[in-house]
Amino acid sequence: RVGFVGLGIMGVGMAGNLKKKGHDLVVWNRTKEKCQALEKEGAKVADTPADVVKECDIVFACLADPDIAMDVVFRDDGILKAMKPGKAYVDCSTVDEECSNKIGDAITAAGGRFLEAPVSGSKKPAEDGTLIFLTAGDESLYKDSQPYLEAMGKKHRYLGKTGGGARMKLVVNMIMGSMMNAFAEGMTLAESSDLDLSALLEVLDAGAMSNPMFRLKGPSMAKGEYPPAFPLKHQQKDMRLALALGDKLEVPMPVAAAANESFKRARMEGKGDLDFSAVHGSLRKAK
């Protein structure tokens, strides 16, 4: 039996793929209504995170931010309450290294095994089972988790001791956010210059800057539509955490800092729950 905690935009697709691949699944979410679809498919719904641990040897989690990730572990009925030797916790949340280490230290102190496994990918890859897992921590747990990782993703990489996965994910998402901001500025400039946005997208796709993100997001951005696959509020959170890592390591990051300000402005305008490509809508409004 395998457990899954956190059934948001990413988690529901990830847990769904575990169920589709035939794994006996126990789930928990803060809002129980989000468990209903998986319950209809045969998953058992637990009352607390601790109850998931009691019923499963390995529990996965995908949670929105460091505060929620910490709460689910350390609350009175949380993961740690039932953790003991023979149990394991795999955290797929995007958090900072400090958060990951605190959780990992607590899990191992209770006798359990811990693996951080943040994912590269958004809603559709989570649904399609094509995520990339950036893992670090207990190598034996990494090996034991591979059947589950392969049910949810197309690639997994082990990056050493706890913290390596968190740092890699922040670097990846910082690059992605900076790219999206530049893409949004370019589309806004093209539109303001009376250029055909479909022509811009075609030119970009034909050259060295061709990439899946522009190909996927460009057409809906051209229409001013931003259906949430990766919420803007989460992208801005990741930019903030990446910049904090840069401050700690004394790495200048002026491009990322500027992109973060654009995402912050979009959040202030109420676009936090839209896709991160909605930074384009903020720029269009400002022009």
Side-chain angles (χ1 to χ4, degrees):
R1 221 172 214 187
V2 62
F4 205 101
V5 170
L7 300 177
I9 285 179
M10 299 294 291
V12 69
M14 295 165 70
N17 279 312
L18 289 173
K19 194 75 187 89
K20 288 174 188 174
K21 294 296 172 69
H23 296 291
D24 193 5
L25 186 66
V26 180
V27 299
W28 177 87
N29 191 70
R30 290 183 300 163
T31 308
K32 264 200 168 179
E33 289 77 12
K34 292 186 176 181
C35 300
Q36 290 175 352
L38 285 167
E39 186 175 24
K40 289 177 182 176
E41 294 175 14
K44 180 176 180 179
V45 179
D47 290 328
T48 70
D51 289 337
V52 181
V53 178
K54 289 173 186 175
E55 298 205 38
C56 305
D57 291 334
I58 297 180
V59 177
F60 286 81
C62 190
L63 303 159
D65 59 42
D67 289 339
I68 296 173
M70 293 281 282
D71 178 66
V72 166
V73 171
F74 292 103
R75 58 193 284 171
D76 291 341
D77 59 0
I79 297 294
L80 197 59
K81 182 77 173 178
M83 188 56 58
K84 62 181 182 179
K87 303 288 186 178
Y89 188 57
V90 181
D91 193 352
C92 302
S93 314
T94 299
V95 299
D96 57 280
E97 183 178 4
E98 181 181 5
C99 174
S100 195
N101 278 320
K102 283 182 179 177
I103 291 172
D105 289 347
I107 296 296
T108 55
R113 294 183 295 163
F114 176 74
L115 187 74
E116 60 176 358
V119 298
S120 181
S122 57
K123 181 181 178 181
K124 192 171 189 310
E127 293 172 344
D128 294 345
T130 56
L131 294 168
I132 301 168
F133 288 86
L134 309 170
T135 73
D138 190 306
E139 191 169 7
S140 70
L141 178 53
Y142 169 65
K143 292 175 181 176
D144 290 345
S145 298
Q146 288 188 18
Y148 307 120
L149 299 176
E150 288 164 6
M152 298 183 286
K154 65 180 180 180
K155 186 176 180 63
H156 46 81
R157 177 73 185 264
Y158 181 71
L159 298 165
K161 67 180 182 179
T162 301
R167 293 193 304 275
M168 181 69 80
K169 179 60 192 295
L170 293 181
V171 170
V172 169
N173 277 21
M174 178 273 292
I175 294 171
M176 182 174 72
S178 298
M179 283 177 62
M180 174 54 74
N181 195 67
F183 185 40
E185 287 183 1
M187 289 190 70
T188 304
L189 180 60
E191 188 175 27
S192 299
S193 302
D194 295 324
L195 294 173
D196 184 350
L197 291 183
S198 63
L200 171 64
L201 296 176
E202 184 180 338
V203 169
L204 290 173
D205 197 43
M209 287 182 287
S210 175
N211 67 79
M213 184 176 77
F214 289 2
R215 202 174 302 125
L216 176 67
K217 302 292 186 182
S220 59
M221 290 169 66
K223 298 175 185 175
E225 298 172 358
Y226 316 103
F230 179 43
L232 186 144
K233 63 185 178 184
H234 293 165
Q235 175 66 70
Q236 194 273 313
K237 176 261 298 181
D238 293 347
M239 298 298 289
R240 172 176 57 82
L241 294 176
L243 288 165
L245 178 62
D247 285 345
K248 179 181 176 181
L249 299 176
E250 299 182 346
V251 175
M253 297 164 60
V255 174
N260 185 47
E261 292 304 314
S262 292
F263 287 116
K264 282 165 62 178
R265 180 174 63 188
R267 285 191 73 174
M268 289 177 64
E269 294 171 353
K271 295 179 173 63
D273 290 324
L274 298 176
D275 190 72
F276 79 118
S277 58
V279 69
H280 171 245
S282 180
L283 292 166
R284 291 177 87 195
K285 179 181 176 182
K287 74 181 181 66

